[in-house]
Amino acid sequence: MSVQPIRLFGDPVLRTKAVEVVDFDAELRRLVSDLTDTMLEAPGAGLAAPQIGVGLRVFTWSVDGEVGHLVNPVLDLSEETQDGPEGCLSIPGMVFDCRRALSVVARGFNQHGEPVTIEGSEKLARAIQHETDHLDGILFVDRLDPDGRKAAMRAIREAEWFGLDRPTVKVSPHRTNGLGF
Ligand code: NI
């Protein structure tokens, strides 16, 4: 078990595009293990490598009792959309309605370098889209409508954790009730 500190909004690593994994080695397996442990401990529905300070295209999810991971994901999104509450472990204590594709087909690799395809809808689809965004330096507040984004940015500026000298502070004063990704 190796729970890592979760980087918070304002940390530049969250705005940096992650690079593709080329070595499917022990280090990658340790990363997947760390992501899984950190996500489950939070607890959260998903976690992407940049959120623990690693700029690689890897994420994990935990949705409806199913725990998984994906490396180098490529997404195929449905045209049909869903509106629903979303949060982020890097923006603790905040949940806003966010529009996402209703379902997704995600192609990539598992930690052993074997090709895998993940098909998900609703919450799993939301998690996969949210985590893949993290790999491109995109945060869910970027996806909100203008009013929602304004409210979110105001709430972030006023949050007690924002602008702390310790950007790796992990313990959130507020849980996200399972809606943090
Ligand atoms: Ni997130």
Side-chain angles (χ1 to χ4, degrees):
M1 176 118 175
S2 185
V3 172
Q4 301 295 316
I6 294 176
R7 306 300 182 91
L8 298 179
F9 184 101
D11 190 316
V13 74
L14 296 174
R15 291 305 194 179
T16 305
K17 193 172 159 73
V19 302
E20 296 228 326
V21 170
V22 289
D23 295 319
F24 291 80
D25 55 8
E27 201 174 329
L28 176 66
R29 294 193 291 278
R30 179 192 295 241
L31 172 61
V32 170
S33 172
D34 287 353
L35 282 170
T36 303
D37 291 344
T38 305
M39 170 184 69
L40 294 176
E41 198 264 352
L47 192 66
Q51 291 181 278
I52 59 169
V54 177
L56 291 173
R57 300 186 78 79
V58 184
F59 66 76
T60 57
W61 74 84
S62 173
V63 175
D64 298 333
E66 186 197 351
V67 175
H69 70 276
L70 195 59
V71 178
N72 296 346
V74 177
L75 305 192
D76 196 358
L77 304 179
S78 67
E79 278 184 27
E80 199 175 349
T81 58
Q82 57 174 323
D83 287 298
E86 191 165 320
C88 179
L89 294 173
S90 294
I91 310 177
M94 292 179 205
V95 173
F96 293 93
D97 278 347
C98 185
R99 177 165 293 179
R100 295 285 187 181
L102 178 61
S103 58
V104 60
V105 178
R107 292 183 179 81
F109 300 87
N110 66 19
Q111 61 187 334
H112 305 294
E114 299 157 345
V116 291
T117 300
I118 310 295
E119 293 184 43
S121 61
E122 299 180 353
K123 195 174 177 187
L124 179 56
R126 182 177 293 280
I128 290 170
Q129 291 168 79
H130 180 113
E131 302 315 331
T132 302
D133 273 352
H134 271 302
L135 307 182
D136 292 323
I138 296 168
L139 300 173
F140 87 102
V141 291
D142 305 335
R143 299 282 192 193
L144 304 178
D145 61 37
D147 284 347
R149 183 173 162 78
K150 205 177 290 180
M153 293 311 298
R154 186 164 54 238
I156 288 169
R157 280 195 305 271
E158 292 170 356
E160 51 197 286
W161 52 262
F162 181 62
L164 290 177
D165 290 340
R166 299 164 294 142
T168 53
V169 155
K170 182 176 75 70
V171 180
S172 160
H174 312 285
R175 297 291 184 172
T176 46
N177 298 319
L179 291 167
F181 295 90

Short mmCIF file of all heavy atoms in Angstrom, two decimals, residues 46-48 51 86-91 130-131 134 138-140 180-181, ligand 1:
data_model
loop_
_atom_site.label_atom_id
_atom_site.label_comp_id
_atom_site.label_asym_id
_atom_site.label_seq_id
_atom_site.Cartn_x
_atom_site.Cartn_y
_atom_site.Cartn_z
N GLY A 46 -12.11 7.85 -9.33
CA GLY A 46 -11.08 7.75 -10.35
C GLY A 46 -9.89 8.60 -9.95
O GLY A 46 -10.00 9.49 -9.11
N LEU A 47 -8.74 8.29 -10.55
CA LEU A 47 -7.53 9.08 -10.27
C LEU A 47 -6.58 8.94 -11.46
O LEU A 47 -6.38 7.84 -11.97
CB LEU A 47 -6.85 8.58 -8.99
CG LEU A 47 -5.75 9.48 -8.42
CD1 LEU A 47 -6.34 10.82 -7.94
CD2 LEU A 47 -5.03 8.80 -7.26
N ALA A 48 -6.04 10.07 -11.88
CA ALA A 48 -5.10 10.08 -13.01
C ALA A 48 -3.69 10.36 -12.50
O ALA A 48 -3.50 11.06 -11.51
CB ALA A 48 -5.52 11.14 -14.03
N GLN A 51 -2.34 13.58 -11.05
CA GLN A 51 -2.86 13.98 -9.74
C GLN A 51 -1.95 13.52 -8.60
O GLN A 51 -2.09 14.01 -7.48
CB GLN A 51 -4.27 13.42 -9.53
CG GLN A 51 -5.32 14.09 -10.43
CD GLN A 51 -6.71 13.54 -10.17
OE1 GLN A 51 -7.06 12.49 -10.69
NE2 GLN A 51 -7.49 14.22 -9.36
N GLU A 86 -20.49 16.22 -10.65
CA GLU A 86 -19.11 15.75 -10.82
C GLU A 86 -18.21 16.52 -9.87
O GLU A 86 -18.43 17.69 -9.60
CB GLU A 86 -18.70 15.98 -12.29
CG GLU A 86 -17.40 15.30 -12.67
CD GLU A 86 -17.20 15.22 -14.19
OE1 GLU A 86 -18.19 14.96 -14.92
OE2 GLU A 86 -16.07 15.44 -14.65
N GLY A 87 -17.20 15.85 -9.37
CA GLY A 87 -16.22 16.48 -8.52
C GLY A 87 -14.84 15.99 -8.90
O GLY A 87 -14.69 15.20 -9.84
N CYS A 88 -13.82 16.46 -8.18
CA CYS A 88 -12.45 16.09 -8.52
C CYS A 88 -11.64 16.06 -7.23
O CYS A 88 -11.73 16.98 -6.42
CB CYS A 88 -11.86 17.12 -9.49
SG CYS A 88 -10.15 16.78 -9.96
N LEU A 89 -10.84 15.03 -7.05
CA LEU A 89 -10.03 14.92 -5.85
C LEU A 89 -9.00 16.04 -5.76
O LEU A 89 -8.48 16.33 -4.68
CB LEU A 89 -9.34 13.56 -5.80
CG LEU A 89 -10.29 12.36 -5.63
CD1 LEU A 89 -9.52 11.05 -5.76
CD2 LEU A 89 -11.02 12.42 -4.30
N SER A 90 -8.71 16.69 -6.90
CA SER A 90 -7.76 17.80 -6.90
C SER A 90 -8.45 19.15 -6.65
O SER A 90 -7.79 20.18 -6.58
CB SER A 90 -7.02 17.85 -8.24
OG SER A 90 -6.20 16.70 -8.38
N ILE A 91 -9.78 19.10 -6.53
CA ILE A 91 -10.57 20.30 -6.21
C ILE A 91 -11.53 19.89 -5.10
O ILE A 91 -12.73 19.76 -5.30
CB ILE A 91 -11.34 20.82 -7.46
CG1 ILE A 91 -10.39 20.95 -8.65
CG2 ILE A 91 -12.01 22.16 -7.17
CD1 ILE A 91 -11.09 21.38 -9.96
N HIS A 130 -13.43 12.12 -17.44
CA HIS A 130 -12.79 13.03 -16.48
C HIS A 130 -11.30 12.71 -16.36
O HIS A 130 -10.46 13.62 -16.39
CB HIS A 130 -13.50 12.88 -15.13
CG HIS A 130 -12.98 13.74 -14.04
ND1 HIS A 130 -13.70 14.78 -13.48
CD2 HIS A 130 -11.78 13.72 -13.38
CE1 HIS A 130 -12.96 15.35 -12.53
NE2 HIS A 130 -11.80 14.74 -12.44
N GLU A 131 -10.98 11.42 -16.25
CA GLU A 131 -9.56 11.04 -16.07
C GLU A 131 -8.75 11.27 -17.34
O GLU A 131 -7.58 11.69 -17.27
CB GLU A 131 -9.45 9.58 -15.62
CG GLU A 131 -10.18 9.22 -14.34
CD GLU A 131 -10.02 10.20 -13.20
OE1 GLU A 131 -8.97 10.87 -13.12
OE2 GLU A 131 -10.95 10.34 -12.40
N HIS A 134 -7.74 14.74 -17.48
CA HIS A 134 -6.57 15.02 -16.62
C HIS A 134 -5.26 14.79 -17.38
O HIS A 134 -4.28 15.51 -17.17
CB HIS A 134 -6.58 14.12 -15.38
CG HIS A 134 -7.33 14.67 -14.21
ND1 HIS A 134 -7.04 15.89 -13.63
CD2 HIS A 134 -8.37 14.17 -13.49
CE1 HIS A 134 -7.85 16.11 -12.60
NE2 HIS A 134 -8.68 15.09 -12.49
N ILE A 138 -6.62 19.06 -18.62
CA ILE A 138 -7.97 19.67 -18.57
C ILE A 138 -8.64 19.26 -17.27
O ILE A 138 -8.60 18.08 -16.88
CB ILE A 138 -8.80 19.20 -19.78
CG1 ILE A 138 -8.18 19.70 -21.07
CG2 ILE A 138 -10.25 19.67 -19.66
CD1 ILE A 138 -8.76 19.05 -22.33
N LEU A 139 -9.26 20.23 -16.59
CA LEU A 139 -9.98 19.95 -15.35
C LEU A 139 -11.49 20.11 -15.60
O LEU A 139 -11.89 20.83 -16.50
CB LEU A 139 -9.52 20.90 -14.25
CG LEU A 139 -8.02 20.79 -13.93
CD1 LEU A 139 -7.59 21.89 -12.95
CD2 LEU A 139 -7.69 19.41 -13.35
N PHE A 140 -12.29 19.44 -14.77
CA PHE A 140 -13.73 19.42 -15.08
C PHE A 140 -14.35 20.81 -15.01
O PHE A 140 -15.34 21.06 -15.68
CB PHE A 140 -14.48 18.40 -14.19
CG PHE A 140 -14.94 18.93 -12.86
CD1 PHE A 140 -16.27 19.27 -12.67
CD2 PHE A 140 -14.06 19.07 -11.80
CE1 PHE A 140 -16.72 19.75 -11.44
CE2 PHE A 140 -14.50 19.54 -10.58
CZ PHE A 140 -15.82 19.89 -10.39
N GLY A 180 -15.78 12.46 -6.31
CA GLY A 180 -14.46 12.95 -6.72
C GLY A 180 -13.81 11.98 -7.67
O GLY A 180 -13.82 10.78 -7.44
N PHE A 181 -13.24 12.52 -8.75
CA PHE A 181 -12.63 11.67 -9.76
C PHE A 181 -11.14 11.98 -9.89
O PHE A 181 -10.79 13.12 -9.98
CB PHE A 181 -13.28 11.88 -11.12
CG PHE A 181 -14.72 11.46 -11.17
CD1 PHE A 181 -15.72 12.36 -10.87
CD2 PHE A 181 -15.05 10.18 -11.49
CE1 PHE A 181 -17.05 11.98 -10.92
CE2 PHE A 181 -16.38 9.78 -11.55
CZ PHE A 181 -17.39 10.69 -11.26
NI NI B 1 -10.22 14.84 -11.13
#
